[in-house]
Every structure is written in structure tokens, then in C-alpha cells.
Amino acid sequence: MSHFRLARLCLLLAAVGLNTAPALMTSAHAQKAATPAAAPANNVRPELAKIFDPAQVQQFVAAKNVAELQNRITQAEALPNKTPYETYYTTRMKMVHASLAGNEAGVLASAEEVLKSGFEPKESQPKLMLAIADIQYKTKNYAGAIENLKRYEAAGGDMTTARPLLVRAQYLNKDYASAKTQLLQTVADAEKAGKAPTQEDLKLLLSAANETKDTAAYETTVQKLVAHYPSDDMWNEVIRVGVIKKPGFSQDNYMPVLRLQHAVTKTMREEDYVDLAESALRDGFPTEAKTVLDAGYSAGVLGKGGNAKAHDALRSRANKGAADDAKNIAAGEASATKSKSGAGLVNLGWAYVTMGQHDKGIGFIQQGIAKGGLKQPDEAKIRLAAAQAKAGRKDEAIKTFESVKAGGGLSDVARVWAMSLRQSGTAGASAAPAATGASAQ
């Protein structure tokens, strides 16, 4: 979490209003200082005005002359029988001095006295409240910061500026529910203004949603993160919460998940490359297995470490199978066409897709789906949509993905894959083709 800070000194100086000299008491009133109640409420005696001459004080502030400012404060405090307003005016200067000196405790004490005095103009009170909250946040007094930010809001302060500080104070004070509420508003405001929410706000919202066990907010926020700040980690999290952790997910459909992952991420884990390649070999798609393994080697994930020999052996099997498949695939067209079930045509079409013959493969898959007799027609639709994406036919691919209604995770795989296509237009076409399940049956 970044360290959110306000320009505290600027806020304080703006609130103090050093450019404005206080009204002076008349000489008669100054001579009657022994009875301060008789003096005008919002004036200061000439002696005090001279001590805090605005032009001189401005010079001290600009030069960060803490010593001379403290000397003037000492002189002011030595004046007898100060009126409440004179005490308030002196306290304002003490506040500026404390800020220049980096005395946070002094700033807090002085600012609170200024607010309690009743003399501080209404328009500058919120600025002081915000400055106090900022200091309290820095000193990890999160409860105090929250309290003063609420005072700030009640006084008419602009929460556009203050909300990031409030959110972080609430979060660090472990009031995750309140932080989530504020962050949802922050994100909504950004989107309403046509802007992308900041990555930090979205990550903080994701954490707050997790802490409050708000699964709906968590999933929505993950999707926003992957939409605005895509990364392999975020895509993996979208798949985890949007597919694998969904009620009713079937482990029988885990391979469609791996193929989705391969399509939308740049790099997978070692075991995922291996599982995907072994499944493709098992289901009769050696070219796909070869493509997956080549990607794993190019990414520097495979071919090293304790499993390097196993990776090399698997790659040799895939390379040999892919070479044999390229020679013999055409011989299977007749038998697939004559079969009563469309499974053979779907598998044949997918094999062509893995070889880069997208349009030819799409035709066979469509024929197989139309013939019917498939145990999982929607799994075949996912492969068809993936093939259409590979062929650059994005709109068709999205439409096909949207037609997938089967449970067990298939419709969720299709939904996330379509989301990736809408988002980038290239996510589905950039990765190597991958079968989305076992051979069609």
C-alpha cells in the first residue's frame, strides 16, 4: 500500500491565512488590556500585531527560519492579559512553527486548540481537520484519522480529495467493511467519469472484499483488474474464482480450464504445461502437445531442473506424434465422415486446427456438431469457438462461446474466454491452439 500523504504544510498555511493582518485594537483598548473582556472580540493589540507582522512571518516561513519564529512566539506568550482572540492568533502561529519544525505532536495540539477557539473561519476549518487527519494517519492513529475525516466531511469538505486517506485509514484500522464501501464508491466515481480506477484502489478493494468474504465483490473486482491492468496473476485469479471455485465445477472439465489458461496467459506453471501436453497426447492431438511444450520451453519453464529429462522425453513423444499425424491425418477423413456420431469429425477438425489449418478444421468441427451424437456438445462448441478465435474470426468466436450453456464449468470457461476476446481482441488468437477437453465422444 502506498503511503498516502497530503501537502500538510500548504494546507496549514492556507488555513492560517498569513497574508491577512488582524484588525488592531485602538490605543485606548490597548491601554486597558488589564480588562481583556472590554476589548473587541476579533482584534489584537498593536504590540502583538508587530510581533507577528505578516510580511516578516512570510519571510520566516519561506526561509524555514524556525528559530526566529519561535522567538516571536515567545515574545507573544509573554504579553500579559491576552484576549481569547489574541491567544487564538498566537496559537495559529505556534501551529505554523510546529509544522515547519516537523513537530507533529505540536501541530496536532495547536490545530485542535485553533478549532476549539471558535474564532477559526468556517471556510478554513475543514482544511485543518484534513491536515490533522493526515498527521494522525502518518503516526498510525488510524481511529483518530477516521474521526477527523468524518468531521471534515460533516463540515463540507471535498471527499474526492479525502476519500483515499479515509479508505486507507479504515483498512489499516481493520474496518474492512467500511473501507470496501468507500472503495466501491471510488471505483464507481472513476468509471462514471470515464476513467480507469487506479490499480492500487482496485487491489485494496480486492483485499477488503476478501477480508469481508464478499465473493461477488471479489470476483467483480478481479475482472476489473484484469480489464484495466491485465497480468498472468490476474487472469489466473479470474479463472480460479470465476471457474474452478464456482459451485458445481467438475474436475472432469479441468482440461478446458488449462486450455483457457494457455490462451489468456503468457506463461503457465511447469505442471500445467505438462498436464496439458499429456492430455493432448492421450486424446490424440500430438501437434497440440508439441505446441504446448514448445511454449513451455520458450518461456524457460520446461527443460530444466529435476524434471528436465522427463520434459525432454515428453517432448520427443510429442514431436514424433506430430510428424506422424501430419502424414496420416487426411486418411482419417473418410472414416470420420461415415461415422454415425459427429465425434470423429469434431476431433478431426480440432487436429487440423492444431496444425494451423483453421478454416478447414472449423468446417469439420461444425459438421460434427451438426451430425450430433456427442456426449458433451458444449465442449465441442468451446473447441469450435477457440478455433474461430485462432482464425481471427473474433465475433463468431464470441457468439459461439455465448451459446455454451452446459454446467460443470464449461459455461464458465466459455464466459471467461469470451471476456478475454472482447477485452483485447487478440487474447484468444495469440496463444497456441489447445483442445478444451477430451476427445469428442
Side-chain angles (χ1 to χ4, degrees):
M1 185 184 303
S2 70
H3 190 53
F4 181 86
R5 300 289 291 127
L6 297 169
R8 184 175 68 256
L9 179 59
C10 292
L11 285 171
L12 289 173
L13 296 183
V16 170
L18 292 175
N19 287 319
T20 302
L24 299 179
M25 296 180 187
T26 64
S27 58
H29 281 126
Q31 292 171 2
K32 295 179 180 178
T35 56
N42 294 346
N43 293 344
V44 299
R45 71 190 75 177
E47 303 97 287
L48 185 60
K50 183 177 180 181
I51 291 171
F52 290 131
D53 176 78
Q56 293 181 354
V57 170
Q58 286 281 20
Q59 292 177 1
F60 300 151
V61 170
K64 296 184 179 181
N65 191 340
V66 177
E68 183 54 35
L69 192 54
Q70 177 59 61
N71 178 45
R72 298 300 177 98
I73 291 170
T74 301
Q75 293 177 44
E77 289 184 322
L79 292 176
N81 303 314
K82 286 190 290 294
T83 66
Y85 184 79
E86 288 177 325
T87 298
Y88 153 74
Y89 191 73
T90 302
T91 304
R92 291 171 105 198
M93 296 303 170
K94 290 169 68 176
M95 183 174 62
V96 176
H97 171 269
S99 183
L100 285 173
N103 179 3
E104 310 236 312
V107 173
L108 287 175
S110 299
E112 287 290 358
E113 288 300 316
V114 166
L115 288 172
K116 289 177 183 177
S117 70
F119 294 109
E120 187 66 18
K122 286 186 177 180
E123 61 270 17
S124 62
Q125 289 179 20
K127 298 175 183 178
L128 281 179
M129 295 170 187
L130 186 56
I132 291 170
D134 182 50
I135 295 171
Q136 289 172 321
Y137 177 87
K138 180 184 176 184
T139 56
K140 300 184 179 180
N141 180 4
Y142 303 123
I146 293 167
E147 179 182 353
N148 274 290
L149 286 165
K150 289 181 178 179
R151 288 171 67 192
Y152 170 79
E153 184 175 18
D158 181 9
M159 290 306 292
T160 302
T161 301
R163 186 173 287 118
L165 186 62
L166 176 59
V167 164
R168 284 150 183 79
Q170 290 171 329
Y171 184 91
L172 292 170
N173 203 43
K174 298 186 178 180
D175 185 358
Y176 302 117
S178 295
K180 181 181 70 176
T181 298
Q182 293 289 339
L183 284 161
L184 286 169
Q185 185 62 53
T186 298
V187 170
D189 288 347
E191 292 176 334
K192 186 177 180 180
K195 300 178 181 178
T198 69
Q199 187 174 18
E200 183 179 350
D201 281 340
L202 287 173
K203 285 186 174 181
L204 202 58
L205 175 55
L206 190 69
S207 182
N210 182 58
E211 293 287 352
T212 56
K213 296 179 170 50
D214 187 340
T215 55
Y218 187 91
E219 183 175 358
T220 299
T221 306
V222 169
Q223 291 175 2
K224 291 181 186 297
L225 272 164
V226 85
H228 296 294
Y229 307 99
S231 67
D232 283 358
D233 285 344
M234 282 300 104
W235 275 117
N236 287 331
E237 190 65 1
V238 166
I239 294 170
R240 186 185 74 84
V241 301
V243 181
I244 298 172
K245 291 298 182 179
K246 286 283 188 179
F249 175 74
S250 172
Q251 288 294 327
D252 292 339
N253 293 322
Y254 196 72
M255 290 314 297
V257 174
L258 287 176
R259 289 177 167 88
L260 167 63
Q261 183 184 11
H262 190 219
V264 299
T265 62
K266 296 177 181 178
T267 306
M268 297 197 301
R269 298 179 303 172
E270 172 190 344
E271 56 267 38
D272 294 335
Y273 281 119
V274 171
D275 286 350
L276 184 51
E278 287 180 339
S279 177
L281 281 171
R282 179 197 65 207
D283 296 335
F285 305 115
T287 304
E288 178 183 33
K290 178 184 184 304
T291 302
V292 169
L293 292 169
D294 287 347
Y297 274 84
S298 295
V301 176
L302 303 181
K304 61 183 183 181
N307 295 322
K309 290 185 178 180
H311 299 161
D312 291 344
L314 183 61
R315 193 181 197 186
S316 295
R317 284 174 54 203
N319 288 342
K320 183 179 183 304
D324 292 342
D325 212 22
K327 295 177 183 177
N328 303 320
I329 188 170
E333 292 183 16
S335 60
T337 302
K338 292 177 182 178
S339 175
K340 293 181 180 181
S341 165
L345 287 167
V346 171
N347 290 334
L348 177 67
W350 184 250
Y352 273 120
V353 170
T354 67
M355 295 176 184
Q357 299 184 51
H358 304 135
D359 290 337
K360 188 172 185 178
I362 289 169
F364 280 120
I365 295 174
Q366 289 173 327
Q367 291 177 44
I369 292 173
K371 180 176 280 193
L374 305 175
K375 288 185 178 179
Q376 283 193 300
D378 276 14
E379 186 276 330
K381 288 182 181 179
I382 290 178
R383 281 198 259 173
L384 173 60
Q388 290 167 331
K390 291 295 297 178
R393 292 151 65 169
K394 182 181 113 175
D395 292 341
E396 290 180 39
I398 291 173
K399 186 175 181 180
T400 303
F401 278 129
E402 289 176 339
S403 72
V404 175
K405 305 298 181 184
L410 291 179
S411 62
D412 292 320
V413 166
R415 174 179 53 81
V416 174
W417 210 323
M419 180 177 74
S420 76
L421 290 176
R422 290 191 194 92
Q423 180 173 314
S424 67
T426 59
S430 63
T436 53
S439 300
Q441 299 178 27

